[in-house]
Amino acid sequence: MTNKYSLIRSVKVRAFVAFVSFVFAGCSSVSSIEKEGKKLPFFGSMEVQRFTLPNGLKLLVLEDSSSPTFAYQTWYRVGSRDEEPKYTGLAHLFEHLMFKGTKNLPEGQLDRILEQAGAEGENAFTSRDYTVYVQELPKDKLDLIAKLESDRMVNLVVNDDSFKTEREVVQNERRMRNENSPDGLMYQEIFGLAFTKHSYRWPVIGYEEDLARMSSKEPREFYESHYAPNHATIVVVGDVKASEVLKTVMKYYGDLKAKNLPEKIVPMEPEQTSPRHKTLKLNTQVQKLMVAYPVPAVVHEDIPALEVMRSVLTSGKSSRLSKALVESGIMTSIDTYDLDDRDPSILTFVGNLQRGKKATQAESVMLAEIEKFKKAPISQSELERAKNSLQAQFYDGLSSPSEKANFLGHYETVSDSFRTGVNIFTKIGAVTATQIQAAAKKYLNPNSRSVVMGVQK
Amino acid sequence: MKMTKLFLSLGIFGFALSASAIETRFESDSSLPVVYLNVAVKAGAANDPHGQAGIGNFVGEMMMRGTKTRTKAQIDETLDLLGATLSVETRTEAIIFRGRVLSSKLAEYMEVVHDIITNPSFPEREIKKLKAEISSDIVETRGKDGPLAKVFWDGFLFEGHPYGKPILGKLRDLEKLKRDDLVRHYRDLFQDRNLLVVGSGDSEASFVESWAKRLAEARPDTSGENPVHVADAPKNPAKREILFVDKPDRTQTQLYFGQVGVRMTDPRFFPLHLANHVFGGGSFSARLMTEVRVKRGWSYGAYSYFRQGIRPRSFQAYTFPATKDTPGAVALVDQMLREWKEKGITPAEYEFAKSSLINSAGFAYNTPGKRVENILLEKTLDLPDGFMKTFAEHLSKVTLAEANAAVKDFVDPDRMHVMLLGTAKDLKAKFATSLKVPESEIKVVPYTKE
């Protein structure tokens, strides 16, 4: 489970304006970059080729000829983490504006051209750590998409009228995801409770008053500060040749200038030493519960053990918490959100109560079960079960070109290398029961938990 | 058309319909060590008997809660140990057991699924527990405006017709369900002639076919009349029907306009599909999205779409504007539907929609997972084999005149159902004004009504 925002847009009919053709004239040739490119193992016999252009743009290519298509994704290393207080939601709002016009292309034409070319799943999403633009296309459209994406990387135009309309669209998205959604409000509150200093404390979609405060000036500044080739990774997976992809990417992005983009200094979150509780009165007829514990960043060496731990606790109907909370008739579901943030974040248990049951009771049972879990190593059978489940989930998440591209782009962006994700998967196979117990003792500290309960208004 | 031909070569399924009497389709794909296995019964919520709404879904869930040789706990433990998943998805006209397992564990997994399909025991204790869980899910849905509106919309559009039955059921019906009802419904639905095995992944088609054959052999002979009946086609009302679902404190509403739809095999379907792509069919350049979202910012989305059934099911336009913009959105969508009927689509819109739909048609079946879903649709909706691969071919033959004639013939704003979920004290009068009707023509129901 993750909370990402998928956006959709619309376009108007206008004549296509030809792009300025970029002529590569840099000091590095395609062949020299190709020679410096690396072939890195992925899963099974799959290999990923990684290239870095002189302007800092990273390119990952995975050849997969199972269908005459390819996924093309552009990952920018900017998300709500990089926003400032009072301007929350700017990264996501800006993502909407990326579908407006450029200096070369009138507003609406991007979508229209891609749609006519047979693009599938043209979309975008923003998370705490990144913003991503995604498409799948027939195999002969590589040149087209590279031309379009490189253009909006540097030539976007944000005018007042389109900004105002799109801000209202985002306010409506916020009404849908948060304001009128008990689950959305709970999710917003758990991050607001668990974080006091770090920018993960505000919602990706932002607060209503912050969105209302913005003018088109802030998105323009945001674009200048965060969108540049040296702040992005292009991921291409499908029926392509890596050498051809490199050649095409060099053709359209090779001359784009790198920018001096200062690294955002995000305040460290101080250690939490006492539990925090909040009760929300919601338009709900069953109570809801979220319990969060601080956990390390995705690159931390404890992540594989934490992954197995959360699987033992909540994955499958025979998991510890499912038996204690669902099987016992207290809750209808218990789950956790993914551990995938760039900075230290939270492991959140989330579930709905059965009719007439209290969230306070569920929290007590959960805490007791977790304390029991910490007292003795799990059995080999439980360990095997969790590992099998995680293995199947990993493979399940790689069943299409776009899913493979998601995996590569995600880990490449939050950790600098997609190999982090591969290594987590590999290390899970070697995690021991003792390591899981140690992780539980270290991270599932009742004094550092944050709890949000949703009750009927 | 070059890309379409390339796409058409995709997907080599093993086909089998032998003495086993359970139709089986499996596509071998060894790219990842995982197998996806679905067992579907060609009957769903529409087949729930009167007064037993939700029984189809309930039976499906109960089958995983105990067999003659395994308790629920044993089933759960075994599936989890294999790293497998098995869940029930109930649709209006299908119940599908969806499974995923590591290919190295497939044989053990098949044993459990075989037991679940052939030997469910429906233990009383689990019936009681499941009633508590599902009734909690039903009331939990009341907190989610989108899913809640969809339940009301189906009930309103198909009032008195099986297509209007809620998948999870109604609280009062669930409470009355008895074990004997479940056993009877299981026997009626889970007959070999109604079953289908469809999957893909890292295994051989022959291995899955052998398993399906053993599944059939372990089941009783059920020749004679098939108890699964298809209902008559639903009908539109003589005049427009209007419903307001009243829920407090809404800052956003759920708005539907709609009518009974057309089957995919209806000669009007492809002309309508093309014309709807222009009007609101998932395209970023569609009229609804352009007018409601891009120009006015009134809603995050605005769409129109057909839903399919064995009988004609539904066509609807849907959007979810801010409460403050709802009166305007109601009037705008109403006006746009009328203009669409009156004037059709333009030659430029026709050309654009046609090329977009044809060029992207291959994405409907470019992965094993999508091809599996297409087979499930074809078999459970009684469509010809391979129908989902024929969109490009059909659309290439549609003319502008055919598209506009189909719209004129089919779209019927004066006999549509219109439904709004929002806060009545803020909006009922404005809703009536936007639709140009007296308030008395609007039926208001509380959001907790079943």
Side-chain angles (χ1 to χ4, degrees), chain B residues 129-147:
Chain B
K129 281 166 58 185
L130 185 60
K131 280 184 181 180
E133 288 176 33
I134 292 182
S135 61
S136 299
D137 286 338
I138 290 172
V139 296
E140 201 269 335
T141 300
R142 293 174 183 168
K144 298 173 177 172
D145 290 359

PDB file of all heavy atoms in Angstrom, chain B residues 129-147:
ATOM      1  N   LYS B 129     -19.032 -15.382  11.837  1.00  0.00           N
ATOM      2  CA  LYS B 129     -17.915 -14.428  11.768  1.00  0.00           C
ATOM      3  C   LYS B 129     -17.964 -13.624  10.469  1.00  0.00           C
ATOM      4  O   LYS B 129     -17.725 -12.412  10.456  1.00  0.00           O
ATOM      5  CB  LYS B 129     -16.581 -15.179  11.870  1.00  0.00           C
ATOM      6  CG  LYS B 129     -16.222 -15.574  13.301  1.00  0.00           C
ATOM      7  CD  LYS B 129     -15.101 -16.587  13.352  1.00  0.00           C
ATOM      8  CE  LYS B 129     -13.841 -16.105  12.683  1.00  0.00           C
ATOM      9  NZ  LYS B 129     -12.803 -17.158  12.633  1.00  0.00           N
ATOM     10  N   LEU B 130     -18.251 -14.315   9.387  1.00  0.00           N
ATOM     11  CA  LEU B 130     -18.258 -13.620   8.095  1.00  0.00           C
ATOM     12  C   LEU B 130     -19.395 -12.608   8.026  1.00  0.00           C
ATOM     13  O   LEU B 130     -19.232 -11.521   7.445  1.00  0.00           O
ATOM     14  CB  LEU B 130     -18.363 -14.635   6.945  1.00  0.00           C
ATOM     15  CG  LEU B 130     -18.250 -14.036   5.537  1.00  0.00           C
ATOM     16  CD1 LEU B 130     -16.907 -13.336   5.328  1.00  0.00           C
ATOM     17  CD2 LEU B 130     -18.423 -15.127   4.469  1.00  0.00           C
ATOM     18  N   LYS B 131     -20.530 -12.929   8.617  1.00  0.00           N
ATOM     19  CA  LYS B 131     -21.629 -11.955   8.644  1.00  0.00           C
ATOM     20  C   LYS B 131     -21.175 -10.662   9.329  1.00  0.00           C
ATOM     21  O   LYS B 131     -21.470  -9.561   8.861  1.00  0.00           O
ATOM     22  CB  LYS B 131     -22.837 -12.531   9.396  1.00  0.00           C
ATOM     23  CG  LYS B 131     -23.673 -13.480   8.569  1.00  0.00           C
ATOM     24  CD  LYS B 131     -24.896 -13.923   9.357  1.00  0.00           C
ATOM     25  CE  LYS B 131     -25.737 -14.897   8.542  1.00  0.00           C
ATOM     26  NZ  LYS B 131     -26.929 -15.347   9.275  1.00  0.00           N
ATOM     27  N   ALA B 132     -20.452 -10.818  10.442  1.00  0.00           N
ATOM     28  CA  ALA B 132     -19.972  -9.631  11.167  1.00  0.00           C
ATOM     29  C   ALA B 132     -18.992  -8.829  10.310  1.00  0.00           C
ATOM     30  O   ALA B 132     -19.037  -7.597  10.278  1.00  0.00           O
ATOM     31  CB  ALA B 132     -19.308 -10.065  12.474  1.00  0.00           C
ATOM     32  N   GLU B 133     -18.115  -9.518   9.590  1.00  0.00           N
ATOM     33  CA  GLU B 133     -17.110  -8.820   8.775  1.00  0.00           C
ATOM     34  C   GLU B 133     -17.755  -8.103   7.589  1.00  0.00           C
ATOM     35  O   GLU B 133     -17.451  -6.942   7.310  1.00  0.00           O
ATOM     36  CB  GLU B 133     -16.044  -9.809   8.281  1.00  0.00           C
ATOM     37  CG  GLU B 133     -15.118 -10.288   9.389  1.00  0.00           C
ATOM     38  CD  GLU B 133     -14.135 -11.341   8.910  1.00  0.00           C
ATOM     39  OE1 GLU B 133     -13.707 -11.283   7.739  1.00  0.00           O
ATOM     40  OE2 GLU B 133     -13.799 -12.239   9.704  1.00  0.00           O
ATOM     41  N   ILE B 134     -18.635  -8.810   6.881  1.00  0.00           N
ATOM     42  CA  ILE B 134     -19.214  -8.193   5.680  1.00  0.00           C
ATOM     43  C   ILE B 134     -20.166  -7.055   6.051  1.00  0.00           C
ATOM     44  O   ILE B 134     -20.176  -6.009   5.397  1.00  0.00           O
ATOM     45  CB  ILE B 134     -19.913  -9.243   4.795  1.00  0.00           C
ATOM     46  CG1 ILE B 134     -18.862 -10.187   4.209  1.00  0.00           C
ATOM     47  CG2 ILE B 134     -20.707  -8.572   3.668  1.00  0.00           C
ATOM     48  CD1 ILE B 134     -19.404 -11.250   3.277  1.00  0.00           C
ATOM     49  N   SER B 135     -20.943  -7.245   7.114  1.00  0.00           N
ATOM     50  CA  SER B 135     -21.840  -6.149   7.509  1.00  0.00           C
ATOM     51  C   SER B 135     -21.020  -4.933   7.942  1.00  0.00           C
ATOM     52  O   SER B 135     -21.413  -3.782   7.693  1.00  0.00           O
ATOM     53  CB  SER B 135     -22.804  -6.594   8.611  1.00  0.00           C
ATOM     54  OG  SER B 135     -22.086  -6.979   9.757  1.00  0.00           O
ATOM     55  N   SER B 136     -19.845  -5.157   8.537  1.00  0.00           N
ATOM     56  CA  SER B 136     -18.963  -4.031   8.884  1.00  0.00           C
ATOM     57  C   SER B 136     -18.449  -3.355   7.626  1.00  0.00           C
ATOM     58  O   SER B 136     -18.361  -2.115   7.554  1.00  0.00           O
ATOM     59  CB  SER B 136     -17.778  -4.521   9.727  1.00  0.00           C
ATOM     60  OG  SER B 136     -18.227  -5.087  10.933  1.00  0.00           O
ATOM     61  N   ASP B 137     -18.099  -4.159   6.624  1.00  0.00           N
ATOM     62  CA  ASP B 137     -17.628  -3.574   5.352  1.00  0.00           C
ATOM     63  C   ASP B 137     -18.726  -2.740   4.692  1.00  0.00           C
ATOM     64  O   ASP B 137     -18.452  -1.695   4.100  1.00  0.00           O
ATOM     65  CB  ASP B 137     -17.170  -4.681   4.387  1.00  0.00           C
ATOM     66  CG  ASP B 137     -15.825  -5.278   4.788  1.00  0.00           C
ATOM     67  OD1 ASP B 137     -15.070  -4.597   5.521  1.00  0.00           O
ATOM     68  OD2 ASP B 137     -15.531  -6.416   4.369  1.00  0.00           O
ATOM     69  N   ILE B 138     -19.963  -3.227   4.782  1.00  0.00           N
ATOM     70  CA  ILE B 138     -21.069  -2.483   4.156  1.00  0.00           C
ATOM     71  C   ILE B 138     -21.224  -1.106   4.803  1.00  0.00           C
ATOM     72  O   ILE B 138     -21.329  -0.090   4.108  1.00  0.00           O
ATOM     73  CB  ILE B 138     -22.388  -3.281   4.250  1.00  0.00           C
ATOM     74  CG1 ILE B 138     -22.317  -4.514   3.321  1.00  0.00           C
ATOM     75  CG2 ILE B 138     -23.584  -2.407   3.886  1.00  0.00           C
ATOM     76  CD1 ILE B 138     -23.481  -5.477   3.485  1.00  0.00           C
ATOM     77  N   VAL B 139     -21.209  -1.070   6.116  1.00  0.00           N
ATOM     78  CA  VAL B 139     -21.391   0.248   6.752  1.00  0.00           C
ATOM     79  C   VAL B 139     -20.125   1.093   6.622  1.00  0.00           C
ATOM     80  O   VAL B 139     -20.195   2.327   6.575  1.00  0.00           O
ATOM     81  CB  VAL B 139     -21.825   0.147   8.241  1.00  0.00           C
ATOM     82  CG1 VAL B 139     -23.181  -0.499   8.347  1.00  0.00           C
ATOM     83  CG2 VAL B 139     -20.819  -0.566   9.081  1.00  0.00           C
ATOM     84  N   GLU B 140     -18.959   0.452   6.495  1.00  0.00           N
ATOM     85  CA  GLU B 140     -17.724   1.215   6.291  1.00  0.00           C
ATOM     86  C   GLU B 140     -17.752   1.939   4.949  1.00  0.00           C
ATOM     87  O   GLU B 140     -17.255   3.064   4.810  1.00  0.00           O
ATOM     88  CB  GLU B 140     -16.527   0.258   6.366  1.00  0.00           C
ATOM     89  CG  GLU B 140     -15.194   0.939   6.666  1.00  0.00           C
ATOM     90  CD  GLU B 140     -14.439   1.368   5.427  1.00  0.00           C
ATOM     91  OE1 GLU B 140     -14.647   0.771   4.366  1.00  0.00           O
ATOM     92  OE2 GLU B 140     -13.629   2.300   5.515  1.00  0.00           O
ATOM     93  N   THR B 141     -18.366   1.300   3.953  1.00  0.00           N
ATOM     94  CA  THR B 141     -18.461   1.911   2.620  1.00  0.00           C
ATOM     95  C   THR B 141     -19.253   3.217   2.658  1.00  0.00           C
ATOM     96  O   THR B 141     -19.049   4.100   1.832  1.00  0.00           O
ATOM     97  CB  THR B 141     -19.139   0.919   1.637  1.00  0.00           C
ATOM     98  OG1 THR B 141     -18.346  -0.253   1.582  1.00  0.00           O
ATOM     99  CG2 THR B 141     -19.257   1.498   0.235  1.00  0.00           C
ATOM    100  N   ARG B 142     -20.125   3.374   3.645  1.00  0.00           N
ATOM    101  CA  ARG B 142     -20.902   4.615   3.748  1.00  0.00           C
ATOM    102  C   ARG B 142     -20.012   5.834   3.983  1.00  0.00           C
ATOM    103  O   ARG B 142     -20.433   6.965   3.789  1.00  0.00           O
ATOM    104  CB  ARG B 142     -21.931   4.500   4.877  1.00  0.00           C
ATOM    105  CG  ARG B 142     -23.010   3.475   4.586  1.00  0.00           C
ATOM    106  CD  ARG B 142     -23.924   3.285   5.782  1.00  0.00           C
ATOM    107  NE  ARG B 142     -24.916   2.258   5.517  1.00  0.00           N
ATOM    108  CZ  ARG B 142     -25.700   1.709   6.444  1.00  0.00           C
ATOM    109  NH1 ARG B 142     -25.593   2.100   7.708  1.00  0.00           N
ATOM    110  NH2 ARG B 142     -26.577   0.784   6.123  1.00  0.00           N
ATOM    111  N   GLY B 143     -18.797   5.585   4.426  1.00  0.00           N
ATOM    112  CA  GLY B 143     -17.864   6.693   4.628  1.00  0.00           C
ATOM    113  C   GLY B 143     -17.148   7.103   3.356  1.00  0.00           C
ATOM    114  O   GLY B 143     -16.439   8.105   3.335  1.00  0.00           O
ATOM    115  N   LYS B 144     -17.276   6.301   2.292  1.00  0.00           N
ATOM    116  CA  LYS B 144     -16.544   6.564   1.046  1.00  0.00           C
ATOM    117  C   LYS B 144     -17.530   6.984  -0.041  1.00  0.00           C
ATOM    118  O   LYS B 144     -18.283   6.154  -0.557  1.00  0.00           O
ATOM    119  CB  LYS B 144     -15.803   5.288   0.611  1.00  0.00           C
ATOM    120  CG  LYS B 144     -14.771   4.833   1.636  1.00  0.00           C
ATOM    121  CD  LYS B 144     -14.199   3.481   1.236  1.00  0.00           C
ATOM    122  CE  LYS B 144     -13.121   3.060   2.215  1.00  0.00           C
ATOM    123  NZ  LYS B 144     -12.659   1.684   1.988  1.00  0.00           N
ATOM    124  N   ASP B 145     -17.510   8.246  -0.385  1.00  0.00           N
ATOM    125  CA  ASP B 145     -18.552   8.786  -1.264  1.00  0.00           C
ATOM    126  C   ASP B 145     -18.593   8.111  -2.637  1.00  0.00           C
ATOM    127  O   ASP B 145     -19.676   7.854  -3.166  1.00  0.00           O
ATOM    128  CB  ASP B 145     -18.362  10.294  -1.437  1.00  0.00           C
ATOM    129  CG  ASP B 145     -18.668  11.054  -0.161  1.00  0.00           C
ATOM    130  OD1 ASP B 145     -19.035  10.406   0.840  1.00  0.00           O
ATOM    131  OD2 ASP B 145     -18.544  12.292  -0.162  1.00  0.00           O
ATOM    132  N   GLY B 146     -17.428   7.855  -3.239  1.00  0.00           N
ATOM    133  CA  GLY B 146     -17.406   7.257  -4.577  1.00  0.00           C
ATOM    134  C   GLY B 146     -18.057   5.881  -4.606  1.00  0.00           C
ATOM    135  O   GLY B 146     -19.028   5.650  -5.342  1.00  0.00           O
ATOM    136  N   PRO B 147     -17.544   4.928  -3.823  1.00  0.00           N
ATOM    137  CA  PRO B 147     -18.151   3.589  -3.800  1.00  0.00           C
ATOM    138  C   PRO B 147     -19.608   3.597  -3.324  1.00  0.00           C
ATOM    139  O   PRO B 147     -20.435   2.843  -3.826  1.00  0.00           O
ATOM    140  CB  PRO B 147     -17.264   2.815  -2.808  1.00  0.00           C
ATOM    141  CG  PRO B 147     -15.947   3.521  -2.851  1.00  0.00           C
ATOM    142  CD  PRO B 147     -16.281   4.971  -3.073  1.00  0.00           C
TER     143      PRO B 147
END
